[in-house]
Amino acid sequence: MLQPPHSSLQVAAVPAQRVPVRDRDHDAPWHTEAVCRRDEAGLFFAPSKEPTAARLSREEAAKRVCARCPVMVECREHALLQPEPYGVWGGLTAAERRVVLARRRRRELELKKARAAGRIAAAG
Ligand code: SF4
């Protein structure tokens, strides 16, 4: 498992609004540009026995950090492909990632059935 970019994240001031995402250096590994590289606020992973209201608040704060991260797409795909079972990655909670993965699996199955039935051309 890749070390989460936000394993020691710094979130001094989390803006309430979206901040325009700048272009990123595509030659560097995506996690080197993670906004959350120093998670000093501990926003991205749940502490043990976290009450629901606190979890929801923490996750929303983490998502606000993700919203201004230049590598959000790469991070999200990484977390979906692994799959990463815990924490907020790419602006999605673990539960939200499970929903995305279930939708992808369902769509893949539908496409496979459609190809088998000759309704669409096989992928090349
Ligand atoms: S999208 Fe979020 S979790 Fe992923 S690297 Fe950026 S700030 Fe961290």
Side-chain angles (χ1 to χ4, degrees):
M1 179 173 97
L2 181 70
Q3 179 69 18
H6 37 57
S7 61
S8 58
L9 174 72
Q10 177 179 37
V11 185
V14 179
Q17 77 284 355
R18 271 183 174 263
V19 175
V21 173
R22 66 173 175 74
D23 278 342
R24 61 173 295 254
D25 175 3
H26 289 277
D27 292 333
W30 67 266
H31 48 85
T32 63
E33 297 190 49
V35 170
C36 62
R37 290 191 66 197
R38 295 175 54 197
D39 183 11
E40 291 167 0
L43 293 178
F44 291 82
F45 290 96
S48 64
K49 299 179 182 174
E50 182 179 40
T52 300
R55 176 180 56 79
L56 294 173
S57 173
R58 178 186 51 74
E59 288 174 345
E60 286 307 311
K63 288 179 178 186
R64 286 195 295 273
V65 175
C66 294
R68 63 184 173 90
C69 181
V71 293
M72 187 172 77
V73 172
E74 292 90 337
C75 175
R76 181 178 292 182
E77 281 308 306
H78 161 82
L80 290 167
L81 289 173
Q82 284 303 303
E84 295 289 354
Y86 306 109
V88 173
W89 291 75
L92 296 178
T93 64
E96 291 167 338
R97 292 194 301 277
R98 285 193 293 275
V99 170
V100 170
L101 288 171
R103 283 189 188 138
R104 283 186 180 181
R105 281 192 295 271
R106 203 165 38 246
R107 177 158 174 73
E108 280 302 312
L109 191 61
E110 288 168 1
L111 286 170
K112 193 173 172 182
K113 286 179 182 174
R115 283 187 200 109
R119 291 195 303 270
I120 59 172

